[in-house]
Amino acid sequence: MTVNNHDPLISALRTLSCHPPRSVVDLVFSNWIIISGPVGELYVAFTDHGVNFVRTAESVHRDDAEFLREYRERFGRPLRKATRPPAGLVPALRGRPSRALQLDLRGLTALERDTLEATRRIPAGQTRPYGWLAREIGRPRAVRAVGTALRRNPVPVLIPCHRVTTSTGELGNYVFGADMKKRLLRAEQVNLDEVHELAKNNVYYLGSETTGIVCFPTCSSARRITHQHRRGFRTIDQAIRAGYRPCKQCRPAAAEPA
Amino acid sequence: MALLACLVDDLDEGFANLVRSEQRVVYSVALRMTRSPSEAEDLTAETFLRAYRALRGYDRSRVLALRPRSWLVTIMLNTWRNSLRDASRRPNLMPSADLPDRHAEDQDVEQAVESAERQRELGRLVGQLPVAQRLAVVLRHVVGLPMAEIAAVLKCPEGTAKSHVSRGLSKLRTLYDAVPPSRECNFAGRREQR
């Protein structure tokens, strides 16, 4: 056997040591940033796959350490402060949902992911009941599971779980408290007073006598119905029996069991 | 060791230093075991994530007592074995075979064998060694781990580790000498010899 120093095989083996193609620091570390949101500042964390955690500054008492602790507890990933927000975040927070904005929802169950993806499709300024969401994901009986999935939503505001309310027109729970839910909805011009007023009169659906279409009260079509042509319904079945067709945009038929 | 003291001081900052200083070792070994650059990259990232999660639960004295290289390589090997086991339970998710190597073999190599080509060939030959010998040779001669740490990774006495290295190396030498790159320039010639 030759001496190591002059052994061509051993010298050749040494050349097999190589750097990974991308920095592993970038793959392993999450980044965090404070950014101004629709109602106050937000802490946002993101990985190389997209945004995976959002907290209001209020909810972490404006304490960086508390946010970081909560993040590590939940994800077990190291963090470093980012110098720039991820692509698409700024437009999304200004109410312009952007395709560039990637969300990292790894680690969630299929039901959680389905729920959040359906929630993401609720337009700004509108609300939907929990039961509607359960129907939208093809699990009409899983209303409670849907509620749990929303409570665990890692990226509130960006996935607008604040737009999901109870079927009786109450706001329902929110990860950052009912008051924040109200503020977020008001910031999107949801007329909560009107929704509340209708609910007091047991009205959860609005039909238009001119078009014969029935909607959720916050649907953009419902908001265009003039007062004298507006008809309220307690259930979607009542509306259908009265000859109304469920709106194809807000799909209110999904709110009731078939 | 400054790296470990830094970890105790500020876990996240210390961890970035640890990743920067050890990513090459972990990736190089992972690449030799998985034989696929993309799998090796995933495995390396997963290894460091697991290491971070473990470190969160370690107290000061345990962190300071770590031998980071053999510790990280051990985590990487456990992760790799788990992924192989999971993959065999779900056959459709079998890790891809080493495409680059097969490509190299199929290539009609009439031109002079470049050093990159030789390196790839050597990588392929290393991949033919039995796992324990391959691991021992890679740890000793590719990433230069001391024998005591190799023994820790292989979970065997140092003497056994040494014999894995030397047996692996001599098997590799036989394979390597069968393709003397300077004298013989094409793979067709080697095929005829078989």
Side-chain angles (χ1 to χ4, degrees), chain A residues 7 15 17-18 22 76 79, chain B residues 12 24 28 41 53 119 173:
Chain A
D7 186 335
T15 68
S17 163
C18 57
R22 288 183 290 174
L79 285 145
Chain B
D12 285 23
R24 184 184 180 115
S28 296
E41 185 181 63
R53 286 165 193 164
Q119 202 176 326
R173 195 179 302 283

Side-chain angles (χ1 to χ4, degrees), chain A residues 176-249:
Chain A
F176 304 132
D179 185 57
M180 181 53 91
K181 194 169 189 171
K182 203 181 286 180
R183 280 159 59 198
L184 281 164
L185 290 172
R186 285 201 200 281
E188 294 177 0
Q189 320 296 332
V190 176
N191 191 339
L192 290 174
D193 301 326
E194 185 186 35
V195 171
H196 189 70
E197 198 57 38
L198 291 169
K200 255 194 349 207
N201 296 309
N202 281 324
V203 170
Y204 304 115
Y205 304 92
L206 290 178
S208 159
E209 285 175 348
T210 36
T211 62
I213 293 172
V214 60
C215 300
F216 285 118
T218 56
C219 176
S220 55
S221 308
R223 280 180 283 169
R224 281 199 300 268
I225 307 172
T226 52
H227 208 271
Q228 72 265 34
H229 296 302
R230 198 167 87 167
R231 223 179 121 187
F233 297 97
R234 187 170 61 81
T235 69
I236 194 69
D237 284 348
Q238 282 178 354
I240 290 168
R241 276 199 301 274
Y244 285 80
R245 169 178 76 71
C247 169
K248 285 178 178 158
Q249 305 304 313

